[in-house]
Amino acid sequence: MQPKSRKERIEEYGSFLFCPDKETLCFAINNDEGICERELCYLEDPDYIAQQKKIAQTMEENARKEWEEKQREKLNPPAPIRRQTKTKEQNLQEQIRIKEEKARYLYRKNKPRAADNLMHEVTRLRGQLLKIKEA
């Protein structure tokens, strides 16, 4: 019987690495003949089986540790996150102050266009501040 080409194997199995004997993907079947080059299938290899058991055991242990950590957090929750203590008015005043300082710096560096843009932003922020104070 003529061995199947890669293209035929892709059409039939969906992958040229598919091993029809074991119904799995196998790197050893990646050749022109489409015949497995290994004497012992990797699914039957004792080293592979031991490695899979070790992987499963590690996954179980990690899941158990994660569960224990969640239980610990339920019993002793972390400190609550502090709320913002500044008011909106204080935040606006701080932004205005910072932008004015930067504009002064830019005027000193002879960059009036950038400084003017910042001062326009300061004017807008001052308008917001007035609206807050009036309300």
Side-chain angles (χ1 to χ4, degrees), residues 99-100 103 107 115-124 126:
K99 289 184 187 226
E100 283 178 338
Y107 280 127
D116 287 343
N117 289 337
L118 272 176
M119 288 309 292
H120 288 300
E121 180 71 19
V122 167
T123 306
R124 190 184 62 77
R126 282 187 179 148

Side-chain angles (χ1 to χ4, degrees), residues 32-64:
D32 294 333
E33 294 82 35
I35 300 169
C36 190
E37 298 171 345
R38 292 183 59 136
E39 293 177 19
L40 181 64
C41 181
Y42 75 91
L43 293 175
E44 298 165 353
D45 187 7
D47 293 335
Y48 176 80
I49 294 169
Q51 184 68 26
Q52 291 304 311
K53 285 182 182 177
K54 187 175 179 183
I55 290 171
Q57 183 180 9
T58 303
M59 287 174 62
E60 287 175 12
E61 188 173 326
N62 288 341
R64 182 187 52 79

